Amino acid sequence: MQRTLLCFGLGYTAERLVRRLLGAGWRGRGTARDPARLEALARLGVEALPFERGRPLPGAAFEGVTHVLSSVPPDDDGDPVFDEHQAHLRRVPWLGYLSSTAVYGDQRGAWVDASTPVALLPPPGPRGRARLLAETDWRALGAHVFRLAGLYGPGRSALDAVRAGRARRLDKPGHVFSRIHVDDVVTALIAALDRPAPGGVWDLADEAPSPHAEVVAYACELLGVPPPPLEPWTEAAPTLSPGLLEFYAECRRVSGAGTRTALGVSLAYPDHRAGLRAILEAEARERPPR
Ligand SMILES: NC(=O)c1ccc[n+]([C@@H]2O[C@H](COP(=O)([O-])OP(=O)(O)OC[C@H]3O[C@@H](n4cnc5c(N)ncnc54)[C@H](OP(=O)(O)O)[C@@H]3O)[C@@H](O)[C@H]2O)c1
């Protein structure tokens, strides 16, 4: 039987996954809210469907679906996909939910993985709390939960921020972020499709948690431009948005080692240096000759 993946929120990561699966003979369906994005998805070769809370898919959209992956983040009322479609989801053989390492909250720089207890109390922060609730719903359906560290890749990296002139280097002593290149996420997802473990949790992070300022400095080095000045935390903090302040309030090192062993995969980009170099090299290859 031809395998069919339905992606709720066919965004950045899911698109890279679907491109790989279409090439391997799968069929794809995916949702978006924006009409222009729906047209782009149709051009990609997937059946594109509008979905949002209050605008569920017709039941026919689940016909023949063997796999569902959701990239839709929780909204103020919970998880829109779960709320609209839990009855349909129960009948799909393989479910995947893209979550976030925000569920671990602040760990004062300690290493965490799926064996680390997570709980609503003490709260992991508003983003983490909403994610944890959504994860709980999806795991009750037997979904595979993938906790993503800070995602980067082509078109979404420190290289783009530097080029756009919006990169900053904030000096918060001892603070690090964990990251993952989008193509390493896709590799893990493809491996998980073939190794069902309903209700399982997988951490997706590279091996080198590091300060954001270090990543920006390396992007500048690759681009041959001077790095922006290092801004002391006490001066920078009052200028940050609440969202960014929440990011910087939490510090943890996420280990994806157990996930890689369980799925039998390795990282193509073990740290941001390898990932950023590869992005730049790919851009150079794809640039039309002058
Ligand atoms: N970026 C990171 O560093 C990071 C880190 C950890 C976890 N995550 C999470 O991992 C997942 C995948 O990330 P990504 O960057 O690949 O995703 P993305 O490109 O932001 O795509 C998200 C998709 O969900 C849809 N969507 C968003 N809110 C929705 C809503 N309320 N109702 C219906 N559809 C909605 C979007 O549709 P439209 O096209 O219509 O907007 C889009 O197709 C996301 O849940 C993200 O939050 C991201």
Side-chain angles (χ1 to χ4, degrees), residues 163-216:
R163 288 185 181 118
R166 54 183 163 75
R168 293 173 70 178
R169 292 199 306 140
L170 311 185
D171 185 18
K172 187 172 188 209
H175 191 274
V176 295
F177 287 112
S178 288
R179 297 173 189 75
I180 183 82
H181 188 290
V182 64
D183 288 341
D184 282 324
V185 175
V186 169
T187 298
L189 291 174
I190 288 176
L193 293 172
D194 287 329
R195 294 181 187 220
V201 176
W202 315 104
D203 297 291
L204 300 180
D206 72 18
E207 291 170 344
S210 40
H212 181 64
E214 198 178 300
V215 179
V216 171

Side-chain angles (χ1 to χ4, degrees), residues 4-11 14-15 18 22 27-35 37-52 57-58 61-62 65 67-72:
T4 300
L5 173 67
L6 166 59
C7 292
F8 279 94
L10 211 167
E15 178 173 337
V18 164
L22 290 179
R27 279 195 312 168
R29 284 183 201 148
T31 79
R33 293 169 295 180
D34 176 28
R37 177 69 183 155
L38 286 166
E39 280 175 27
L41 294 182
R43 282 195 298 276
L44 180 69
V46 306
E47 195 181 330
L49 303 156
F51 166 82
E52 60 193 302
L57 296 183
F62 286 85
V65 169
H67 296 69
V68 162
L69 180 73
S70 178
S71 306
V72 174

Side-chain angles (χ1 to χ4, degrees), residues 9-13 33 51 71-73 99-100 131 148-151 156:
L10 211 167
Y12 182 65
T13 307
R33 293 169 295 180
F51 166 82
S71 306
V72 174
S99 182
S100 162
R131 280 295 185 183
L148 276 58
L151 189 62
R156 266 208 207 177

Side-chain angles (χ1 to χ4, degrees), residues 52-150:
E52 60 193 302
R53 186 182 286 283
R55 195 184 183 191
L57 296 183
F62 286 85
E63 273 168 25
V65 169
T66 54
H67 296 69
V68 162
L69 180 73
S70 178
S71 306
V72 174
D75 61 20
D76 291 344
D77 296 318
D79 187 288
V81 182
F82 179 87
D83 291 346
E84 297 287 2
H85 286 299
Q86 52 177 300
H88 290 117
L89 295 172
R90 280 181 208 286
R91 295 195 285 271
V92 177
W94 189 99
L95 300 174
Y97 177 74
L98 297 190
S99 182
S100 162
T101 54
V103 297
Y104 294 116
D106 180 31
Q107 300 280 345
R108 299 181 188 173
W111 284 94
V112 294
D113 67 13
S115 68
T116 306
V118 289
L120 292 171
L121 287 172
R127 279 177 314 119
R129 200 158 50 238
R131 280 295 185 183
L132 208 43
L133 290 169
E135 276 192 2
T136 307
D137 285 341
W138 279 85
R139 289 182 74 187
L141 297 175
H144 304 69
V145 168
F146 303 91
R147 292 179 177 157
L148 276 58

Side-chain angles (χ1 to χ4, degrees), residues 221-274:
E221 187 184 322
L222 288 176
L223 292 171
V225 299
L230 208 50
E231 302 176 54
W233 177 249
T234 45
E235 287 171 28
T239 71
L240 302 183
S241 67
L244 257 184
L245 276 176
E246 195 191 331
F247 272 112
Y248 274 92
E250 297 176 352
C251 183
R252 55 187 171 258
R253 290 173 165 81
V254 182
S255 170
T259 290
R260 291 194 294 279
T261 303
L263 293 179
V265 297
S266 53
L267 290 165
Y269 309 105
D271 59 33
H272 65 270
R273 298 169 80 89

